[in-house]
């Protein structure tokens, strides 16, 4: 059966989903199964309603449950703290039935009042995952085990967003709130109160977070499931690879193809490869004063890129880019054409823009430690030489990169950002091109692109219940972004990460891809 689109898959959740059996808390096996995961960055906060970057979600997904979750390693939505959900015909009302017998780490229990408190907290804090729930109008709790979400506008994708809603203990909020901090943000920043499979053991800032299995978890720990997890921070990827080869690291997240190959060459290491719903995006700074403010210059630069060489860098483990959406997110008919180098057309456009001989320098910002971003900077430098354009490449750590791009006065002419699907809704990526997502507002619109018509279109798509019409509007939205050449869209590699041979594990393609959920990993 043809995989038409992720949209089709999500539309299916508008029907009733059957109940699942409640598994009572079961004491886990007595032996300790340890897993050590290395990442290049560390979360700044443990607060699940604030933290929404890849390094933060790596912690949150282990300690907090949501009403629904994605199938491990996949994109389909299934029950978690909810046993079933039902959506109205107009997709404006979504009713959730809660699982019974769920305990939080602080001993409190789950009911509809707890869910409402979590939603209220999320919306009041209004950061991170709250950006996905702007369409939510009211939350009703008609019974202790029923929650009704009412939306301002129809949304066929709403159930697919619920895995992004961590449920926290209401008891913890009440016990740790103050007059100046009514949602206990200070306490949650360094502590946790979830119902997930792991509890917080310790946090040695800058080095590691340790997690311990929660014996009262509502699901059973299967044999081989990690019972102790260490989340290491290793900004130097070379160090992480060396530690893996020495048997001190079991899994690594977010490293490049070459580095994965290096690790997989070690005796007890293998490479895990999965499809990825992401696209390598190099934003133009549209607020920059100079040549890149002209769309003709931006198009010329994009046409100078040797996309074939960049694709070959990934050694067959990547897919061609065709626009802002990743391959596999949506199947358009006819498909968007793949991007290709055309130096002759690039020269014509530069001449039309008043730069027949180039004569200017572009600043390019990439993430230090990610080889494919450095490779692109070097490739861009070589590709633009025939046009008389120079490139100054800068590679910095992630926190500095966010800080630099978060100010339009310091933002570089071009900046590399990996954009991934975060829900089954394809507009979850396209919203990174909206005015509300501008980098100086904490968003991922590093190009400072402002298009009121696009903002309006994207706000309509999820409410269009007819698939054909929805695809038409989605195509138009993507085409407008391409026409304005907001970015250079590059081939994106598959998920390809090194893992110890003794582990069976999946990375999460719709959850920032650099992470795993350890409860579903198994030591063989």
């Amino acid at each position: 059966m043809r995989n038409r689109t992720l949209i089709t898959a999500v539309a299916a959740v508008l029907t009733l989903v059957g109940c699942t059996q409640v598994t009572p808390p079961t004491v886990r096996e007595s032996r300790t199964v340890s897993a050590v995961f290395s990442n290049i960055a560390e979360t700044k906060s443990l607060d699940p309603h604030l933290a929404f970057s890849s390094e933060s979600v790596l912690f949150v997904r282990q300690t907090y449950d949501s009403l629904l979750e994605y199938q491990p390693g996949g994109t389909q939505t299934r029950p978690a703290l909810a046993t079933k959900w039902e959506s109205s015909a107009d997709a404006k009302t979504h009713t959730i039935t809660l699982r019974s017998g769920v305990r939080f780490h602080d001993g409190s229990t789950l009911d509809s009042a707890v869910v409402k408190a979590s939603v209220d907290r999320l919306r009041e804090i209004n950061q991170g995952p709250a950006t996905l729930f702007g369409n939510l109008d009211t939350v009703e709790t008609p019974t202790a085990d029923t929650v009704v979400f009412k939306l301002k506008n129809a949304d066929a994708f709403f159930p697919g967003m619920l895995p992004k809603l961590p449920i926290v203990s209401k008891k913890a909020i009440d016990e740790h709130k103050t007059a100046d901090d009514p949602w206990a943000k200070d306490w949650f920043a360094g502590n946790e109160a979830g119902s997930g499979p792991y509890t917080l053991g310790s946090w040695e800032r800058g080095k590691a977070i340790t997690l311990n299995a929660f014996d009262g978890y509502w699901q059973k720990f299967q044999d081989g499931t990690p019972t102790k997890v260490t989340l290491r921070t290793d900004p130097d990827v070379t160090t992480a690879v060396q530690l893996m080869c020495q048997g001190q690291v079991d899994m690594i997240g977010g490293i490049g193809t070459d580095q994965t190959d290096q690790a997989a060459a070690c005796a007890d290491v293998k490479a895990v490869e999965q499809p990825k719903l992401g696209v390598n995006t190099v934003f133009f700074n549209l607020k920059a004063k100079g040549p890149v403010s002209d769309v003709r210059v931006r198009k010329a630069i994009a046409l100078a890129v040797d996309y074939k060489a960049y694709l070959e860098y990934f050694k067959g483990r990547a897919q061609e880019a065709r626009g802002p959406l990743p391959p596999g997110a949506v199947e358009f008919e006819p498909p968007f054409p793949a991007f290709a180098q055309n130096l002759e057309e690039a020269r014509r456009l530069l001449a039309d823009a008043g730069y027949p001989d180039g004569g200017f320098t572009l600043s390019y910002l990439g993430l230090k430690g990610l080889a494919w971003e450095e490779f692109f900077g070097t490739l861009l430098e070589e590709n633009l030489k025939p046009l008389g354009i120079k490139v100054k490449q800068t590679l910095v750590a992630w926190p500095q990169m966010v800080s630099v791009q978060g100010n339009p006065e310091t933002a570089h002419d071009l900046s590399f950002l990996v954009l991934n699907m975060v829900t089954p809704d394809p507009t979850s990526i396209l919203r990174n091109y909206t005015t509300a997502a501008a980098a100086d507002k904490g968003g991922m619109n590093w190009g400072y692109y402002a298009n009121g018509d696009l903002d309006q279109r994207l706000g309509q798509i999820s409410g269009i219940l007819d698939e054909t019409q929805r695809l038409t509007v989605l195509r138009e939205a993507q085409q407008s972004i391409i026409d304005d050449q907001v970015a250079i869209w590059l081939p994106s590699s598959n998920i390809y990460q090194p893992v110890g041979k003794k582990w069976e594990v999946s990375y999460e393609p719709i959850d920032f891809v650099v992470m795993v959920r350890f409860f579903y990993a198994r030591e063989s």
Side-chain angles (χ1 to χ4, degrees), residues 8 14 21 105 131 144 151 153 171 287-288 360 371 398 468:
T8 306
L14 295 178
Q21 294 296 319
H105 302 157
T131 58
L151 310 183
N153 302 295
K171 176 184 176 184
K287 281 196 173 183
F360 56 86
W398 175 249
T468 301

Side-chain angles (χ1 to χ4, degrees), residues 131-170:
T131 58
L132 298 175
F133 296 93
N135 187 31
L136 182 59
D137 188 14
T138 62
V139 179
E140 299 176 359
T141 56
T143 68
D145 64 353
T146 305
V147 181
V148 180
F149 295 94
K150 292 192 174 181
L151 310 183
K152 302 170 188 175
N153 302 295
D155 189 348
F157 301 107
F158 183 76
M161 296 181 186
L162 289 177
K164 305 295 181 178
L165 174 60
I167 304 301
V168 309
S169 163
K170 183 176 183 298

